[in-house]
Structure formats: C-alpha cells, structure tokens
C-alpha cells in the first residue's frame, strides 16, 4: 500500500477520479455559471449555480429546459472546476513525489 502512494502519476489519477466521479455523477451545484434564455428575440444570461453533471446530461429534466437555450460556466466557475479537478490532484501527486524523494 505504501508503494502505491509513492507513484505520483497514480496518485494524480486516483485523486482526480475520487473528485471527478461525485462532481460529474451527482448534482453538486457549486460552480458559477449562466443560464441562457431566449426572450423576445433577445438572449439573456441569468446567473446560476451549476453542476458538472449537467454537462453530461445527468440531473437535467427535459421539461425544465423548455425556454432555456443552454448554460455555461463563467470564469470563476472554470477556475473552481480546474482547482478541484487539476489543482488538488496535482498537489497530492507533488506530495507523493516529495515523499518518494525522502523530503
């Protein structure tokens, strides 16, 4: 078990999966985004909290999407998603790399 955690790429992959699976398969609405609504020939962007599961079609009821053109993340939503999916696993992998070097 100890040798498992001294392989940084494996630690990155496992940590990424451990974080990504709940974010993509459960309705965890923590990411800032916009809901695009078409109203009177005009496109409106309404602020909303989004879940990454919406982007793969999980957790969305088609009846709820009647007047909605789409949705997207804003800069802060992309930042939070990248911190959770790339940043934290990178820190864990770096920590395992340091442990492997004996630091």
């Amino acid at each position: 078990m100890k040798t498992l955690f001294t392989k940084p790429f494996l630690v990155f992959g496992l940590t990424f999966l451990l974080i990504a699976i709940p974010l993509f398969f459960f309705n965890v609405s923590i990411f800032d985004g916009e809901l695009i609504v078409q109203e009177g020939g005009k496109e409106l962007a309404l602020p909303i909290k989004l879940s990454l599961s919406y982007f793969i079609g999980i957790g969305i009821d088609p009846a709820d999407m009647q007047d909605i053109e789409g949705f997207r993340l804003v800069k802060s939503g992309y930042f939070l998603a990248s911190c959770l999916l790339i940043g934290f696993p990178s820190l864990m992998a770096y920590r395992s790399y340091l442990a492997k070097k004996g630091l």
Side-chain angles (χ1 to χ4, degrees):
M1 185 73 166
K2 188 173 180 169
T3 60
L4 174 73
F5 293 111
T6 58
K7 298 176 182 174
F9 288 112
L10 186 60
V11 169
F12 178 85
L14 289 175
T15 308
F16 178 84
L17 287 175
L18 190 67
I19 294 171
I21 288 173
L23 290 179
F24 278 102
F25 291 106
F26 298 111
N27 189 5
V28 183
S29 299
I30 60 173
F31 301 98
D32 293 328
E34 294 177 334
L35 200 59
I36 310 301
V37 180
Q38 196 79 328
E39 221 176 80
K42 191 175 180 184
E43 191 174 272
L44 296 174
L46 305 171
I48 190 171
K49 293 288 187 179
L50 294 174
S51 173
L52 295 181
S53 66
Y54 297 162
F55 293 98
I56 60 172
I58 296 175
I60 296 178
D61 187 17
D64 293 340
M65 298 293 288
Q66 290 292 2
D67 299 328
I68 298 172
E69 291 289 318
F71 47 85
R72 64 179 173 232
L73 292 177
V74 294
K75 288 180 185 177
S76 59
Y78 280 116
F79 179 73
L80 180 59
S82 65
C83 284
L84 288 175
L85 294 174
I86 303 298
F88 188 70
S90 296
L91 288 174
M92 296 298 288
Y94 183 62
R95 176 62 185 112
S96 70
Y97 170 76
L98 291 177
K100 184 179 179 180
K101 292 290 183 184
L103 298 176

